[in-house]
Amino acid sequence: TISAGADLEKKATSKFRYELVRLLNLAFYSYSLMLKGLKLVTPPASLIPLEGGVMEAEVLSVVSCPTAMVCKWITNLLEQQRQAQRITDAQVGVITNELIKLMSCYQATNGLQFTPMPAMLNGFTYFFVVAWVY
């Protein structure tokens, strides 16, 4: 019936919203761990999905870049919603552009962590440490 179809559509839309918010929070959580130099071992209980949570947690603990994996899952979620015609191609494009910006920010930040300190700054800090100790 029409009401049963409307209920199914309402449940699917609310599940999409829940999963999108959960995945965005998970991306931020893994990004903040990367900034602290920590590795994601297990996500917090609030960020684990009800279905398939154990497998997702294992995948995130194994991959070298959990934020990229979460962004991939977000794009898969968007593609499912686009195929179900719940969101338009324009909306998918806008959200994908934001995900691209997120990943470029992640790569830039990650690169800064592994870039060695410039020689002048290293010498400058060495001088002041020696002067302070003296």
Side-chain angles (χ1 to χ4, degrees), residues 3 6 10 13-14 43 52 58-59 62-63 67-68 75 78 85 88 119 124 133:
S3 64
K10 184 178 179 181
T13 303
S14 63
E58 287 181 17
V59 168
V62 171
V63 296
T67 305
T75 57
L78 291 173
Q85 297 179 348
T88 64
F124 184 72
V133 169

Side-chain angles (χ1 to χ4, degrees), residues 2-133:
I2 294 175
S3 64
D7 286 340
L8 286 175
E9 192 65 26
K10 184 178 179 181
K11 286 179 184 177
T13 303
S14 63
K15 182 180 177 184
F16 165 68
R17 288 179 180 166
Y18 171 78
E19 283 296 311
L20 183 61
V21 169
R22 184 187 69 79
L23 288 173
L24 288 172
N25 285 330
L26 187 57
F28 176 74
Y29 179 74
S30 62
Y31 176 73
S32 62
L33 284 179
M34 185 271 304
L35 288 177
K36 296 174 186 174
L38 302 173
K39 177 126 175 79
L40 180 65
V41 178
T42 56
S46 61
L47 298 178
I48 296 176
L50 301 175
E51 301 169 357
V54 174
M55 180 63 84
E56 184 177 294
E58 287 181 17
V59 168
L60 288 175
S61 66
V62 171
V63 296
S64 61
C65 182
T67 305
M69 183 60 74
V70 173
C71 287
K72 181 180 179 233
W73 291 337
I74 292 173
T75 57
N76 290 343
L77 183 67
L78 291 173
E79 184 59 29
Q80 289 172 356
Q81 297 302 311
R82 189 190 64 76
Q83 288 177 356
Q85 297 179 348
R86 291 188 187 102
I87 57 177
T88 64
D89 291 337
Q91 291 170 324
V92 171
V94 169
I95 297 173
T96 303
N97 279 339
E98 293 301 319
L99 287 174
I100 290 169
K101 289 178 188 177
L102 173 71
M103 284 310 301
S104 64
C105 177
Y106 176 87
Q107 295 296 335
T109 307
N110 198 17
L112 284 175
Q113 284 188 328
F114 295 114
T115 304
M117 193 181 307
M120 289 184 65
L121 184 59
N122 197 12
F124 184 72
T125 55
Y126 179 76
F127 168 76
F128 278 106
V129 167
V130 169
W132 179 74
V133 169

